[in-house]
């Protein structure tokens, strides 16, 4: 009976998928609305030889159509289902009139197969086919995408699920892949032009005088004096995301909110949801009202189960969660953008057509002094810098006169000058190593960055339910390398938000920066310091690293980490993969602007040490 139900559900989903072509574009089987989940009978790409064709296709969402860059003609791309221990040959044909590539995000592969043009291979020329071939050395949830230009924004991404060679420690009855992304009808190069021409171009949630009268919004609760203070600093406390719902439609499995992708379950089942944030510029807050989620995997690797009600997922991160709906009812899956300008919406339900209430967008978050890199400072000892005077703090304890005085003292916090905030320089070079170039591309330096692995993410501090933090994560198995790091490498995440300039250590990749060099099998500690006021998801290719979060010996292994504004995040790395590897912010337009480095691990195989 179960198989009959599954087959009927699949057929119904398939019929809806075909019927929906005119409305919602062309979807692979796993992404069709009404899916019963991944099942053996579902057409996926698997086996030792897989063929992918990259080309242009029409994509429709919200009743509008445009050209997308797709693989095998679908958006998102086909699901690749592989098996740990197998070898795979992927024949990738490029039918475009431009170069392309595929990067296998999170997979441990020889560097020549990593798929980054100019770093690990020359790219795939137009009208040619490139053969990727590598062993599958891991299991879990991953994804693949272009590393050429801005093609990822145009639809060039898809999921990978790798089954373990041995028994899966995670028990479940059904599984769905949940691919999050953002779509715009603007060409991605137009996004860059507009951001360069006007800082905050896509921010439609800036402060307004009328907003002073609204209730319940943390930003609107900000006093006039504090508003003046931010203004004096020439900073915008609502500058949370560069590109927002003013141009983006947030997609779940390729479906916009109106299309409402629906995944099926039977009450009482353990359902595994494999979340992949394939968005170009959007960090999402994920929740399913009424349905707790137990996180069992982060970035493809198993972690000790932790039950939460919400989690923030940075670009390129993956999380697997287990949900156990027991009622014969629908649940809304909410993927709210970090700035809360919009949301992706989907439904989990026993039957197609069932829906649940869709919660409204919550009030937008605002930046605080902690996000400015002052989390480690004794604000009470600084004239005009009482933390209580800042947004989100106790405004009742803050007199307008005091704030006005503080605002006056902050008047010199000019990014282009040596102005001070009661004697403090927002671009104090003494706070960074001499290797950091503090030029026009650096508009702030974190004065006192702090470890924020215990923070849930911007705007999630006071939501009233359990929210995942990195400190909650523990590897399910002991960390394999017990050696202490022999040296520390500090990397500063730098930028000029107004001019949309992004870099590491104040230098753009295009300026001919030197690689970060590691010796093969070297044990090194890397400290990322976010000097900007924006969250950056930082990704290292070819490796997993241990996020230092207080669980010595069981640190979670990740390939991408969200570094919060004004934060210091530490990871330990065993540089055991020889070659040249990309290291970058996974906000695509930040990487494109220059927040990118090459990590070089030597010697290569066969070379003398």
């Amino acid at each position: 009976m179960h198989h009959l139900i599954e087959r009927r559900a699949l057929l119904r989903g398939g019929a809806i998928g075909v019927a929906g072509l005119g409305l919602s574009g062309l979807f692979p089987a796993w992404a069709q609305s009404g899916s019963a989940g991944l099942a053996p009978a579902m057409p996926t790409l698997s086996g030792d030889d897989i063929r992918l064709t990259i080309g242009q296709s029409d994509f429709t969402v919200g009743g509008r159509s445009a050209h997308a860059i797709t693989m095998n003609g679908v958006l998102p791309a086909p699901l690749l289902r592989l098996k740990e221990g197998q070898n795979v040959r992927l024949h990738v044909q490029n039918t475009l009139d431009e170069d392309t590539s595929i990067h296998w995000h999170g997979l441990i592969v020889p560097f020549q197969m990593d798929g980054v043009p100019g770093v690990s291979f020359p790219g795939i020329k137009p009208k040619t086919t490139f053969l990727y071939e590598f062993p599958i050395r891991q299991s879990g949830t991953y994804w693949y995408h272009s590393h050429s230009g801005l093609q990822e924004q145009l639809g060039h991404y898809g999921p990978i699920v790798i089954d373990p060679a041995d028994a899966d420690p995670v028990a479940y009855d059904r599984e769905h892949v949940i691919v999050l992304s953002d779509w715009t009808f603007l060409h991605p190069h137009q996004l860059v032009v507009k951001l360069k021409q006007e800082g905050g171009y896509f921010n439609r949630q800036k402060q307004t005088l009328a907003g002073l009268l609204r209730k319940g919004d943390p930003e609107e609760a900000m006093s006039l004096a504090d508003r003046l203070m931010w203004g004096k600093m020439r900073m915008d406390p609502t500058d949370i995301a560069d590109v927002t719902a003013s141009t983006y439609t947030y997609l779940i499995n390729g479906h916009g909110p109106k299309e409402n992708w629906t995944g099926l379950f039977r009450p009482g089942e353990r359902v595994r949801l494999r979340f992949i944030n394939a968005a170009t510029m959007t960090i999402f807050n994920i929740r399913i009202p009424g349905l707790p989620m137990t996180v069992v995997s982060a970035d493809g690797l198993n972690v000790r189960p932790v039950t939460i009600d919400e989690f923030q997922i940075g670009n390129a991160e993956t999380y697997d969660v287990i949900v156990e709906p027991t009622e014969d009812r629908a649940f809304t899956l909410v993927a709210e953008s970090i700035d809360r300008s919009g949301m992706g919406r989907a439904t989990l339900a026993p039957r197609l057509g069932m829906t649940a209430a869709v919660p409204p967008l919550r009030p937008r978050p605002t930046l605080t002094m902690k996000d400015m890199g002052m989390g480690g400072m004794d604000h009470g000892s600084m004239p005009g810098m009482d933390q209580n005077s800042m947004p989100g703090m106790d405004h009742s304890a803050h007199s307008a006169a005091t704030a006005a005085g503080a605002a006056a003292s902050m008047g010199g916090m000019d990014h282009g000058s040596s102005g001070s905030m009661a004697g403090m320089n927002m671009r104090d070079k003494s706070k960074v190593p001499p290797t950091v170039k503090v030029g026009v591309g650096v508009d702030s330096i974190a004065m006192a960055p702090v470890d924020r692995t215990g923070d849930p993410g911007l705007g999630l501090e006071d939501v009233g339910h359990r929210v995942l933090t990195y400190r909650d994560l523990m590897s399910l198995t002991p960390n394999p390398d017990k050696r202490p790091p022999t040296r520390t490498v500090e990397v500063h995440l730098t930028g000029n938000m107004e001019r949309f300039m992004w870099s590491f250590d104040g230098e753009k990749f295009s300026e001919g920066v030197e690689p970060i060099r590691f010796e093969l099998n070297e044990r090194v500690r890397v400290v990322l310091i976010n000097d900007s006021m924006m969250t950056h998801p930082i990704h290292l290719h070819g490796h997993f690293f241990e996020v230092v979060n207080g669980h010595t010996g069981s640190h979670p292994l990740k390939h991408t980490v969200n570094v919060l504004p004004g934060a210091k995040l530490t990871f330990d790395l065993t540089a055991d993969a020889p070659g040249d590897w990309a290291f970058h912010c996974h906000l695509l337009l930040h990487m494109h602007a220059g927040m990118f480095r090459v990590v070089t691990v030597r010697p290569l195989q066969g070379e003398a040490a």
Side-chain angles (χ1 to χ4, degrees):
M1 177 62 76
H2 175 72
H3 293 297
L4 181 60
I5 293 172
E6 297 284 336
R7 185 171 181 275
R8 285 175 175 168
L10 280 171
L11 290 172
R12 188 163 58 241
I16 289 168
V18 171
L21 292 182
L23 296 174
S24 304
L26 188 62
F27 299 107
W30 66 268
Q32 291 176 7
S33 192
S35 168
L38 308 185
M42 176 172 285
T44 58
L45 294 182
S46 61
D48 296 337
D49 271 285
I50 291 174
R51 297 185 184 278
L52 292 167
T53 300
I54 300 173
Q56 286 200 355
S57 309
D58 287 336
F59 176 70
T60 300
V61 64
R64 296 179 63 189
S65 298
H67 286 298
I69 293 182
T70 59
M71 285 178 271
N72 292 6
V74 292
L75 190 166
L79 170 68
L80 305 184
R81 186 115 203 186
L82 305 172
K83 178 85 171 180
E84 182 182 9
Q86 75 164 96
N87 287 293
V88 65
R89 293 161 55 90
L90 295 128
H91 309 259
V92 180
Q93 181 185 11
N94 179 13
T95 68
L96 300 172
D97 295 324
E98 58 185 283
D99 287 14
T100 190
S101 58
I102 294 181
H103 164 59
W104 316 99
H105 190 102
L107 267 60
I108 302 301
V109 298
F111 80 93
Q112 302 92 334
M113 298 288 111
D114 193 47
V116 181
V119 175
S120 52
F121 86 137
I124 307 174
K125 300 298 179 188
K127 317 305 178 188
T128 66
T129 297
F130 183 83
L131 175 62
Y132 293 87
E133 184 173 10
F134 47 84
I136 301 300
R137 300 170 54 189
Q138 60 207 96
S139 62
T141 303
Y142 303 92
W143 63 297
Y144 60 111
H145 62 86
S146 173
H147 230 290
S148 298
L150 303 179
Q151 293 174 355
E152 190 184 326
Q153 177 68 87
L154 291 164
H156 189 320
Y157 51 81
I160 302 173
V161 174
I162 304 176
D163 295 311
D166 301 319
D168 195 327
V170 179
Y172 57 93
D173 303 304
R174 187 188 299 258
E175 59 181 329
H176 289 286
V177 171
I178 310 291
V179 172
L180 312 166
S181 60
D182 44 26
W183 174 264
T184 174
F185 288 94
L186 284 178
H187 191 278
H189 286 293
Q190 287 184 285
L191 297 178
V192 176
V193 169
K194 291 183 181 302
L195 287 167
K196 295 289 283 186
Q197 288 176 338
E198 181 183 341
Y201 177 87
F202 295 102
N203 184 3
R204 302 292 188 268
Q205 300 191 111
K206 294 181 179 179
Q207 294 169 301
T208 63
L209 286 176
L212 280 170
L213 304 176
R214 284 201 296 266
K215 293 182 179 179
D217 186 320
E219 186 270 318
E220 307 311 337
M222 189 183 299
S223 71
L224 180 60
D226 286 345
R227 287 167 178 256
L228 292 172
M229 190 182 300
W230 281 97
K232 288 283 187 182
M233 291 188 289
R234 298 186 190 175
M235 293 180 176
D236 181 358
T238 69
D239 193 0
I240 308 295
D242 290 317
V243 189
T244 71
S246 66
T247 185
Y248 273 153
T249 300
Y250 300 113
L251 307 181
I252 296 181
N253 291 345
H255 301 256
K258 293 179 181 175
E259 283 86 31
N260 184 28
W261 178 86
T262 299
L264 303 182
F265 68 86
R266 292 200 304 178
E269 287 183 327
R270 284 173 58 88
V271 183
R272 184 173 191 162
L273 303 177
R274 299 177 180 269
F275 285 91
I276 300 167
N277 187 355
T280 298
M281 291 294 289
T282 307
I283 295 168
F284 289 102
N285 298 326
I286 305 298
R287 68 189 197 276
I288 307 173
L291 201 55
M293 299 176 283
T294 299
V295 178
V296 295
S297 171
D299 285 2
L301 301 185
N302 296 319
V303 296
R304 297 187 191 181
V306 54
T307 300
I308 44 91
D309 299 298
E310 185 166 9
F311 65 93
Q312 188 169 91
I313 182 169
N315 305 66
E317 288 188 304
T318 73
Y319 284 105
D320 288 15
V321 308
I322 297 291
V323 295
E324 299 180 77
T326 57
E327 302 171 73
D328 186 42
R329 52 160 288 200
F331 297 88
T332 296
L333 192 163
V334 178
E336 193 176 57
S337 64
I338 186 173
D339 67 323
R340 296 175 183 164
S341 61
M343 69 166 69
R345 172 251 183 150
T347 296
L348 299 176
R351 293 174 296 282
L352 193 59
M354 298 176 72
T355 59
V358 180
L361 287 168
R362 296 173 294 189
R364 65 185 180 279
T366 54
L367 299 169
T368 68
M369 301 306 286
K370 199 174 186 180
D371 302 315
M372 292 177 64
M374 300 179 186
M377 298 180 76
D378 179 7
H379 303 287
S381 67
M382 294 182 294
M385 276 296 296
D386 186 345
Q387 184 83 321
N388 289 335
S389 73
M390 301 313 296
M393 300 302 166
D394 180 9
H395 299 282
S396 63
H398 178 67
S399 73
T402 301
S409 70
M410 290 181 177
M413 276 183 62
D414 178 64
H415 309 302
S417 72
S418 59
S420 67
M421 183 173 55
M424 291 182 294
N425 184 355
M426 282 295 290
R427 298 169 71 235
D428 185 353
K429 296 180 181 180
S430 71
K431 300 293 183 184
V432 295
T435 51
V436 177
K437 292 192 175 180
V438 185
V440 67
V442 179
D443 67 357
S444 63
I445 292 171
M447 296 182 193
V450 294
D451 179 351
R452 301 188 68 177
T453 53
D455 288 11
L458 218 59
L460 297 177
E461 298 85 357
D462 301 308
V463 290
H465 55 227
R466 298 165 294 184
V467 184
L468 183 73
T469 72
Y470 282 159
R471 207 165 290 173
D472 294 327
L473 297 175
M474 296 178 68
S475 173
L476 190 64
T477 55
N479 295 148
D481 195 340
K482 305 291 192 297
R483 296 176 298 160
T486 56
R487 68 182 175 111
T488 297
V489 173
E490 187 172 294
V491 179
H492 284 254
L493 319 183
T494 46
N496 184 321
M497 295 174 71
E498 187 68 19
R499 299 190 180 191
F500 202 70
M501 300 172 70
W502 299 102
S503 58
F504 286 136
D505 291 342
E507 290 186 285
K508 295 185 296 185
F509 182 67
S510 60
E511 294 172 336
V513 293
E514 285 292 311
I516 299 172
R517 302 179 190 280
F518 296 135
E519 186 178 345
L520 183 62
N521 292 321
E522 179 182 11
R523 186 80 168 146
V524 61
R525 170 158 291 187
V526 178
V527 179
L528 303 176
I529 296 177
N530 189 351
D531 288 311
S532 78
M533 293 196 299
M534 191 160 281
T535 302
H536 297 283
I538 303 297
H539 173 47
L540 173 61
H541 289 222
H543 297 79
F544 281 89
F545 47 75
E546 302 155 23
V547 178
V548 177
N549 65 350
H551 301 299
T552 303
S554 299
H555 290 141
L557 299 178
K558 295 185 98 280
H559 51 62
T560 306
V561 282
N562 244 1
V563 187
L564 301 184
K568 177 189 292 185
L569 187 142
T570 301
F571 66 77
D572 290 343
L573 171 73
T574 299
D576 57 0
D580 295 327
W581 304 99
F583 175 63
H584 61 92
C585 178
H586 223 286
L587 292 168
L588 181 64
L589 303 188
H590 287 192
M591 180 182 73
H592 182 72
M595 209 169 199
F596 184 99
R597 283 287 181 93
V598 173
V599 165
T600 295
V601 180
R602 291 292 188 275
L604 299 177
Q605 191 171 14
E607 284 185 345

